[in-house]
Amino acid sequence: MKILIVGASGTIGKEITKKLAGDHEVVRAGRNGADVQVDLTSVDSIKNMYENVGNVDAVVNASGGANFATVTELTPELNEKGIESKLKGQINLVLLGLNNVRDNGSFTLTTGIMMDDPIRQGASAAMANGGVKAFVKSAAIEMPRGVRINSVSPNAVQESWERLEKFFQGFDPVPASRVALAYKKSVLGAQTGQNYEVY
Amino acid sequence: MKILIVGASGTIGKEITKKLAGDHEVVRAGRNGADVQVDLTSVDSIKNMYENVGNVDAVVNASGGANFATVTELTPELNEKGIESKLKGQINLVLLGLNNVRDNGSFTLTTGIMMDDPIRQGASAAMANGGVKAFVKSAAIEMPRGVRINSVSPNAVQESWERLEKFFQGFDPVPASRVALAYKKSVLGAQTGQNYEVY
């Protein structure tokens, strides 16, 4: 299986790569380095990536950001990062890549626990997560040629806990390797329209 | 109570106005006519609206659109309407209006059944709905001065059934007047962070 992993050098992306690279051909994409460069906030960049990579059996995305700000500090401008990166970036990865995914292939996107278990300063990220989750559930019913689509919703990960604990007080962080299992389930399993919660 | 209703002349907006105008001062906003004009896709237009209307006790939005297209027809460009109108339009109504809502006031936004019970061609609208629902749930925990925020998720309404039935096959449409009750509950009740499903 040929698997394109966007955000392959991130904390979760590295673990997904480890889980899949042994048995599959993995193409690692990201903003820097890796096999192919891509900026999810640019439609042209996503198109270029697919032209470079060609056809694949699975597209996995483990990247995308949003600004953290309290709802009183959040402005339409600060909210744009979540809109352009975590939300539209992921959805455009599907819309622009549909013809590059082979029959019975799959897309796996990333949401996050903040939409279900809100934290301070998390409204913009939660918005993006909720949009991706709903898109996945809806798009799944009309994907062509047996192509599947799921998302994974990770808890905060142990590897980033030192940086994240002050935002996620009282949360029980999970190892990135356990989050990576959900991506593996999505890519190699047969379910579609799911949002796998790894909480 | 002074209540700003955006989209007051729409099918649902008219019923919300009926439920609230008897006992409260209602300001009707919308793209055409009404008391105040507003285009939710424009930050400047939303700012102007709030400048014209001044302080209110409640902001209700019953407007916002998205393109209908199958996932194979949907392009990043076609998806923009849902992003700019139904998603960002509603969220910017909150971000830009927070200082205009009095202590213990409220915002009530609109999502929709398609995020929970997907239909063909509904992925872009579902995305916007899911984004708004998650934003509401997250923003509610840090709204200042007792200000509350909820959303209402309507089923297809009976008044639009002739136009909608081909998209919503097998759905049981609800009267717009029943949908309007949920907005009344949000404005006059004490709950926050809810998404009232009127299915």
Side-chain angles (χ1 to χ4, degrees), chain A residues 70-72 76 80 83 87-88 91-92 95 115-116 118-123 126-127 130-131 134 137-138 141-142 144, chain B residues 70-72 74-76 80 83 87-88 91-92 115-116 118-123 126-127 130-131 134 137-138 141-142 144:
Chain A
T70 65
V71 79
T72 48
E80 277 301 302
I83 292 278
L87 179 59
K88 279 169 56 180
I91 286 170
N92 290 344
L95 300 182
M115 65 179 162
D116 295 316
I119 60 169
R120 284 193 195 93
Q121 304 188 41
M127 170 203 72
K137 180 170 180 166
S138 185
I141 67 168
E142 52 178 10
Chain B
T70 65
V71 78
T72 49
L74 190 64
T75 58
E80 279 299 304
I83 293 278
L87 179 59
K88 279 169 56 179
I91 287 170
N92 289 345
M115 65 178 161
D116 295 315
I119 61 170
R120 284 193 195 94
Q121 303 188 43
M127 170 203 71
K137 181 171 179 164
S138 185
I141 67 168
E142 53 178 9

Side-chain angles (χ1 to χ4, degrees), chain B residues 95-106:
Chain B
L95 300 182
L96 298 168
L98 207 41
N99 290 333
N100 287 76
V101 171
R102 296 184 184 127
D103 293 3
N104 307 308
S106 68

Side-chain angles (χ1 to χ4, degrees), chain A residues 160-179:
Chain A
S160 311
W161 193 236
E162 206 171 332
R163 182 170 57 83
L164 292 180
E165 187 177 4
K166 65 176 183 288
F167 297 106
F168 291 87
Q169 295 285 353
F171 282 63
D172 187 11
V174 297
S177 62
R178 191 155 85 78
V179 173

Side-chain angles (χ1 to χ4, degrees), chain B residues 23-78:
Chain B
D23 298 322
H24 304 279
E25 179 193 351
V26 167
V27 181
R28 291 167 304 157
R31 265 179 307 191
N32 329 297
D35 302 322
V36 189
Q37 294 212 345
V38 66
D39 171 5
L40 282 196
T41 67
S42 159
V43 163
D44 287 339
S45 176
I46 296 174
K47 284 180 183 170
N48 282 339
M49 175 188 68
Y50 281 120
E51 274 168 29
N52 287 331
V53 174
N55 290 346
V56 299
D57 297 289
V59 176
V60 171
N61 179 58
S63 72
N67 280 315
F68 274 61
T70 65
V71 78
T72 49
E73 293 163 353
L74 190 64
T75 58
E77 294 72 29
L78 281 172

